[in-house]
Amino acid sequence: MAAAHIALLVVVLAARHALLAAGSDAHPGYDATEDTCGVPAAEYGGGRILDITHAYRPDMPEFALGEVTGPLVRLRDSMADGSVCNLSELRMHCHMGTHVDAPGHINQAHFAAGLDVDKLDLEVLNGPTLLVDTPRNTNITAKAMESLNIPKGVRRVLFRTLNTDRKLMWKKGDLSYVGFTEDGAQWLVDNTDIKLVGIDYLSVAAYDHLISAHVVFFKIPNIILVEGLKLDDVQAGIYMLHCLPLRLVGSEGSPIRCILIK
Ligand SMILES: *[C@@H]1O[C@H](CO)[C@@H](O)[C@H](O)[C@H]1NC(C)=O
Ligand SMILES: *[C@@H]1O[C@H](CO)[C@@H](O)[C@H](O)[C@H]1NC(C)=O
């Protein structure tokens, strides 16, 4: 496995040098001007840092349909209306856009035990990660998991699926998205060392296994689920992942900012 990692790292570094040699923009901040459908991932540091977080938009897909509508960020006090400052308020539910689930999301015992997002282990949320492409003709079943040959010792994996190809994070409420089936989740728990599961739609679990696959992942509260990642235009491979949830005490979910560093 170490050899495979080093080989991949070499490829990644070579690609980065090619980018730098091509004279990437020295301007800090977005290389891309707009975070919309079809635009490459937001890049910083000449392409060294990739933002894999979706920008929050009022028209994002969400599970709890109709729960929150309208602008997420709303100007409450406006200088234009004579206020001393501009002050916005934020309204959204905690599992919208790119977000993290705490074990209490589906498991009442964990919720009662206080396993909220503020207790999530930042060590799991930050470290080397593997970005893989899943087979496009299937949900993430035990068979699909097995076919990925993820080596033992790999603790963080971002699963890019058909969801990215279908641009589902730019579509309203399509429940035919790809995710883990119950047996796929069980296979991961039984046969890998993965402690962080990232996916490119609002749920790691396929809709037909929405609760059952979550139950498997949360049985022992040692796996963190990051959902709604923006994995377009990122090469499969090894990266440093940094994900930071908000410290929402008592909440079973939180918006999360995730970046990859080459
Ligand atoms: C405050 O918000 C208003 C819109 O109501 C805008 O015109 C103005 O430029 C803002 N001021 C600052 C300092 O951002
Ligand atoms: C994945 O499962 C969902 C139902 O949970 C289904 O609608 C979808 O077609 C499946 N996708 C694939 C690629 O098999």
Side-chain angles (χ1 to χ4, degrees):
M1 184 201 91
H5 277 197
I6 288 163
L8 267 165
L9 268 179
V10 168
V11 170
V12 165
L13 288 175
R16 183 188 151 204
H17 279 128
L19 254 180
L20 291 177
S24 61
D25 199 345
H27 193 278
Y30 282 92
D31 282 351
T33 50
E34 255 186 304
D35 183 23
T36 51
C37 194
V39 168
E43 295 184 358
Y44 296 85
R48 196 175 65 87
I49 301 173
L50 305 173
D51 195 344
I52 54 169
T53 317
H54 278 279
Y56 292 99
R57 315 177 314 266
D59 64 341
M60 285 188 123
E62 47 177 325
F63 261 104
L65 294 173
E67 285 258 315
V68 180
T69 53
L72 304 173
V73 175
R74 194 174 66 93
L75 199 58
R76 208 191 66 184
D77 299 326
S78 164
M79 294 175 85
D81 295 338
S83 292
V84 292
C85 62
N86 286 337
L87 186 69
S88 296
E89 65 180 9
L90 173 67
R91 278 184 71 230
M92 60 191 282
H93 67 76
C94 296
H95 296 261
M96 192 172 185
T98 307
H99 71 276
V100 66
D101 284 359
H105 185 37
I106 306 279
N107 185 310
Q108 180 54 28
H110 297 334
F111 189 80
L115 298 184
D116 60 14
V117 286
D118 194 33
K119 306 278 190 330
L120 292 174
D121 188 349
L122 292 185
E123 196 278 327
V124 176
L125 286 161
N126 293 271
T129 192
L130 186 62
L131 191 158
V132 297
D133 277 296
T134 65
R136 293 307 198 246
N137 59 349
T138 173
N139 274 289
I140 311 178
T141 58
K143 202 168 151 229
M145 269 307 295
E146 193 172 5
S147 77
L148 290 172
N149 286 314
I150 296 167
K152 280 269 186 189
V154 173
R155 297 178 65 230
R156 304 171 194 83
V157 179
L158 310 183
F159 294 88
R160 179 168 49 202
T161 74
L162 186 62
N163 302 333
T164 293
D165 306 351
R166 295 181 65 205
K167 308 255 176 227
L168 287 189
M169 286 295 286
W170 280 274
K171 287 177 190 152
K172 273 282 186 193
D174 188 329
L175 298 177
S176 69
Y177 66 87
V178 161
F180 279 83
T181 59
E182 185 179 348
D183 75 327
Q186 193 64 55
W187 199 93
L188 181 147
V189 169
D190 293 343
N191 300 288
T192 75
D193 295 322
I194 299 169
K195 296 291 171 267
L196 180 138
V197 177
I199 198 145
D200 52 1
Y201 194 63
L202 293 173
S203 168
V204 295
Y207 192 65
D208 289 346
H209 300 254
L210 188 55
I211 303 304
S212 61
H214 274 94
V215 166
V216 170
F217 281 130
F218 285 142
K219 193 163 185 184
I220 304 170
N222 65 348
I223 289 181
I224 299 181
L225 308 178
V226 180
E227 301 169 326
L229 288 168
K230 182 170 178 282
L231 302 178
D232 320 64
D233 306 305
V234 183
Q235 284 181 14
I238 295 171
Y239 298 88
M240 279 301 287
L241 172 74
H242 293 288
C243 282
L244 297 173
L246 301 180
R247 299 193 64 178
L248 301 175
V249 176
S251 178
E252 76 307 312
S254 169
I256 193 166
R257 186 70 179 262
C258 289
I259 59 170
L260 294 177
I261 300 184
K262 287 183 186 170

